[in-house]
């Protein structure tokens, strides 16, 4: 009897959960569908859209017309570049804070967090002017720097919460066994730190890839990543549904896949370790 | 799990080594600190300085000190009040939808059902869609009165097509942003649900506590912390919503969907009024700080735990 009830309950929950999930996911599904249609078919009735012929034309057109891959490449350079640069700066800092905490470690961490609270628009004007004067507007190097700095607090925090979980006793044991500092770092600490560093890398690439305040305001054409490229479809090109969809699909697909792998890290990283 | 600080737990270690490692630690931390300090202080001081100048990029060389004039103009401009109200509505609306919706959805997804993994992946997906894509997709493919899906739907129901973004611009943007942030709230609240003590729930059920009472007295208090974190973190991001407005309505019609971020952007980069834009920036910083103080307290507490 009890079993029948749980199964019925499970069936109801399943139906409800799937209906909601499909509703939430539908826009993404729809972009992918439209991206494989001709412009003429993409604006038809939904049912007619689904039954019409499939084609790769839009993908080819997007690349031909606007050199899509340059923007894609910009996005890759900006997100990976800023994340790697951020890690180079943050790993030693987080390391020191986790393993050699001082009286002020907590204050430093909190202060770093507070820089993240600064609304970007509050410093838009000076950054814009500094960039203009240094010739950094619409340059990839300039944006890599900005993205590194805005994500640095998150990187430090994430790494810190991971490093803090590495037990100190293991170091003790290694030292007892006669390990040198070099052995300690290479054979003991690095393997334990790598998962945390990898998660941080993943989450920050996602954040940098989707960043849409600085990338929109500091780029024009040359260094524009996908966020800015897609924004150029605002109008009137946005009415070409198939091309907009093809461009969008390519822009979100890589990050969507990475994102699915980093759900857990996302929670931890974006809540600064407050929810695990 | 609380991990003791390894170095503190080894008082027998020679003092020299500790001092040595402290110096090394300071050296390792300083690049990050100095960079962030520069990133924060230099532009902040410049914003503050510009906000007291009459400074328009179209009239170079005419800069002069004007005291509080920029602030007076910015704060008495009717667009400021509109933008402030819109900002509050946008932040409040999205928060309401995502926290209530996220709690209910997390509650549902926490039950056992078939296909949990796939459903989870589908629900979380919108969070990874870049803001410009989600805004444009909703604007063109769904809300467009002629060819959008909602247009087709309305037509098939025999209704007049409705131009969402010009008739109800702010509500439409709230809807789009909520779609982006609902997954975030759901994911965090689901994580919190999963750390709930199941035995306590079962015990309450055995004692005959109805489902609503269990939710209200056991689940909700357990979620309180996660909900607070969701609210505070989203607020920080939502105060700075920009791309969604830029590509959908451009702040219009009039100021109907202009938030503070967008207003300041228009004044500084479209009207080239550096002084006024900076005054607005200072106001935005002050408002964000009020939120930040609460968030920092929350996270700071966690650091002690």
């Amino acid at each position: 009897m009890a079993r029948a009830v749980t199964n019925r309950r499970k069936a109801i929950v399943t139906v409800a959960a799937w209906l909601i999930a499909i509703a939430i996911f539908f826009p993404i599904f729809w972009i992918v569908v439209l991206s494989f249609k001709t412009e003429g078919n993409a604006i038809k009735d939904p049912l007619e859209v689904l039954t019409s012929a499939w084609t790769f034309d839009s993908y080819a057109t997007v690349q031909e017309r606007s050199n899509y891959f340059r923007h894609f490449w910009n996005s890759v350079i900006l997100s990976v570049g800023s994340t790697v640069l951020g890690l180079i700066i943050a790993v030693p800092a987080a390391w020191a804070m986790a393993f050699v905490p001082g009286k002020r470690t907590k204050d430093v961490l909190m202060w770093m967090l507070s820089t993240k609270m600064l609304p970007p628009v509050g410093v838009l004007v000076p950054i814009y002017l500094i960039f203009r004067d240094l010739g950094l507007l619409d340059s990839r190097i300039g944006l890599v720097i900005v993205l590194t700095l805005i994500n640095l607090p998150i990187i430090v925090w994430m790494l810190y919460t991971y490093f803090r979980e590495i037990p100190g006793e293991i170091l003790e044991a290694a030292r007892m066994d006669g390990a040198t500092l070099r052995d300690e770092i290479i054979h003991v600490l690095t393997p334990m730190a790598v998962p945390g560093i990898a998660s941080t890398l993943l989450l920050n690439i996602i954040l940098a890839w989707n960043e849409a305040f600085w990338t929109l305001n500091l780029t024009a054409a040359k260094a524009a990543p996908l966020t800015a490229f897609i924004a150029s479809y605002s109008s009137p090109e946005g009415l070409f549904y198939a091309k907009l969809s093809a461009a969008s699909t390519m822009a979100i697909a890589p990050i969507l896949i990475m994102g699915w792998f980093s759900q857990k890290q996302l929670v931890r990283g974006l809540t600064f370790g407050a929810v695990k | 799990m609380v991990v003791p600080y390894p170095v503190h737990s080894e008082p027998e270690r020679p003092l020299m080594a500790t001092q040595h490692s402290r110096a090394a630690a300071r050296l390792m931390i300083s690049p990050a600190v100095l960079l962030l300090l520069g990133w924060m202080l230099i532009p902040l001081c410049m914003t503050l300085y510009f906000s007291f100048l009459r400074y328009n990029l179209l009239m170079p060389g005419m800069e002069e000190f004007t005291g509080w004039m920029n602030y007076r103009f910015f704060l008495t401009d009717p667009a400021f009040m509109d933008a402030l109200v819109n900002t509050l509505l946008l932040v409040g609306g999205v928060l309401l939808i995502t926290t209530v919706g996220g709690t209910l959805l997390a509650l549902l997804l926490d039950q056992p059902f078939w296909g949990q993994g796939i459903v989870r992946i589908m629900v979380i997906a919108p969070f990874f869609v870049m803001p410009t894509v989600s805004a444009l997709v909703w604007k063109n493919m769904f809300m467009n009165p002629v060819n959008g899906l909602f247009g087709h739907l309305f037509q098939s129901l025999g209704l007049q097509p409705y131009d969402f973004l010009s008739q109800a611009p702010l509500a439409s943007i709230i809807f789009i942003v909520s779609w982006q942030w609902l997954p975030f709230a759901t994911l965090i609240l689901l994580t919190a649900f999963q750390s709930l003590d199941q035995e306590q729930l079962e015990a309450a059920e055995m004692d005959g506590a109805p489902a609503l009472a269990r939710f209200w007295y056991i689940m909700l208090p357990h979620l309180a912390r996660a909900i607070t974190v969701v609210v505070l973190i989203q607020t920080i991001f939502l105060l700075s919503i920009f791309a969604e407005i830029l590509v959908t309505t451009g702040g219009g019609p009039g100021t109907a969907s202009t938030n503070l971020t967008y207003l300041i952007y228009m004044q500084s980069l479209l009207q080239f009024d550096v002084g006024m834009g900076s005054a607005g920036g200072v106001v935005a910083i002050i408002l964000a700080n009020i939120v930040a103080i609460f968030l920092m307290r929350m996270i700071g507490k966690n650091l002690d735990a």
Side-chain angles (χ1 to χ4, degrees), chain B residues 1 30 42 63 74 87 100 103 173 187 192 198 206 241 293:
Chain B
M1 187 180 71
S30 47
I42 297 169
E63 297 87 48
F74 184 79
T87 307
V100 173
T103 308
I173 291 174
L187 190 65
Q198 288 301 321
M206 299 276 222
I241 290 286
I293 289 168

Side-chain angles (χ1 to χ4, degrees), chain A residues 21-74:
Chain A
I22 289 169
I24 290 177
F25 191 72
F26 184 75
I28 298 172
F29 165 76
W30 200 241
I31 309 173
V32 178
V33 169
L34 290 186
S35 74
F36 292 109
K37 300 293 176 181
T38 60
E39 292 298 348
N41 284 331
I43 55 169
K44 287 189 178 156
D45 252 20
L47 286 177
E48 286 176 61
V49 171
L50 280 174
T51 51
S52 62
W54 301 81
T55 167
F56 279 99
D57 288 356
S58 309
Y59 286 92
T61 320
V62 167
Q63 163 60 14
E64 266 169 39
R65 277 243 203 112
S66 48
N67 197 359
Y68 173 87
F69 284 105
R70 192 184 56 194
H71 302 291
F72 182 86
W73 191 233
N74 280 341

Side-chain angles (χ1 to χ4, degrees), chain A residues 9 45 99 175 241 263 270, chain B residues 7 13 111 140 152 233:
Chain A
R9 186 190 154 112
D45 252 20
F99 290 103
R175 227 168 274 156
Y241 288 4
Q263 294 176 42
L270 283 180
Chain B
V7 170
R13 194 184 272 185
Q111 315 290 319
N140 292 318
H152 284 298
I233 286 173

Side-chain angles (χ1 to χ4, degrees), chain B residues 6-17:
Chain B
V7 170
H8 280 273
S9 61
E10 300 163 41
E12 72 274 15
R13 194 184 272 185
L15 192 67
M16 275 301 287

Side-chain angles (χ1 to χ4, degrees), chain B:
Chain B
M1 187 180 71
V2 181
V3 179
Y5 294 139
V7 170
H8 280 273
S9 61
E10 300 163 41
E12 72 274 15
R13 194 184 272 185
L15 192 67
M16 275 301 287
T18 316
Q19 270 174 355
H20 183 73
S21 62
R22 283 215 182 290
R26 224 168 286 142
L27 202 68
M28 286 159 87
I29 297 172
S30 47
V33 169
L34 291 177
L35 281 170
L36 280 175
L37 200 65
W39 167 248
M40 196 164 101
L41 277 185
I42 297 169
L44 207 59
C45 293
M46 287 172 76
T47 302
L48 214 61
Y49 173 64
F50 291 154
S51 71
F52 293 105
L53 289 186
R54 191 169 78 194
Y55 183 3
N56 195 306
L57 290 179
L58 296 178
M59 297 180 282
M62 303 268 289
E63 297 87 48
E64 57 179 359
F65 184 76
T66 54
W68 295 94
M69 203 179 76
N70 286 324
Y71 289 92
R72 224 177 25 243
F73 277 122
F74 184 79
L75 294 173
T76 55
D77 183 357
F80 168 71
M81 271 321 281
D82 293 347
L84 189 65
V85 171
N86 286 339
T87 307
L88 293 178
L89 286 175
L90 180 60
V91 174
V94 175
L95 281 180
L96 191 71
I97 294 172
T98 54
T99 46
V100 173
T103 308
L104 295 177
L105 194 51
L107 188 60
L108 180 72
L109 299 185
D110 194 37
Q111 315 290 319
F113 63 93
W114 289 290
Q116 257 173 332
I118 301 172
V119 163
R120 227 180 119 117
I121 278 179
M122 284 163 80
V123 168
I124 187 71
F127 189 74
F128 301 115
V129 176
M130 54 177 67
T132 44
V133 167
S134 57
L136 273 186
V137 165
W138 280 106
K139 176 191 176 187
N140 292 318
M141 273 82 122
F142 288 86
M143 294 175 174
N144 182 300
V146 184
N147 294 323
L149 269 188
F150 291 155
H152 284 298
L153 191 71
F154 277 37
Q155 243 171 2
S156 65
L157 295 173
L159 297 169
Q160 280 296 312
Y162 187 73
D163 190 353
F164 291 89
L165 282 161
S166 51
Q167 304 287 325
L170 192 63
S172 302
I173 291 174
I174 290 176
F175 177 82
I176 296 172
V177 177
S178 298
W179 179 73
Q180 290 176 279
W181 283 92
L182 180 65
F184 173 76
T186 306
L187 190 65
I188 289 188
L189 294 169
L190 187 59
T191 312
F193 265 124
Q194 282 163 353
S195 65
L196 188 64
D197 185 0
Q198 288 301 321
E199 281 175 23
Q200 198 188 0
L201 267 186
E202 273 161 32
E205 202 173 350
M206 299 276 222
D207 290 345
L212 200 64
R214 272 177 281 152
F215 176 74
W216 196 257
Y217 292 109
I218 300 177
M219 291 181 174
L220 219 50
H222 176 77
L223 284 189
R225 177 194 185 81
I227 290 177
T228 318
V229 170
V230 166
V231 167
L232 293 171
I233 286 173
Q234 282 200 34
T235 307
I236 296 292
F237 281 94
L238 296 177
L239 281 173
S240 309
I241 290 286
F242 172 74
E244 290 84 342
I245 296 175
L246 178 78
V247 299
T248 54
T249 63
T255 53
S257 56
T258 303
N259 69 351
L260 263 183
T261 300
Y262 200 78
L263 179 69
I264 297 165
Y265 155 78
M266 285 201 295
Q267 265 159 357
S268 31
L269 294 195
L270 297 184
Q271 293 163 20
F272 305 105
D273 192 341
V274 171
M276 186 91 119
S278 299
V282 174
V283 173
I285 291 171
I286 292 170
L287 291 177
N289 266 310
I290 297 171
V291 182
I293 289 168
F294 288 102
L295 180 58
M296 305 273 286
R297 278 215 190 121
M298 278 290 305
I299 292 171
K301 248 181 225 156
N302 182 64
L303 210 58
D304 295 327

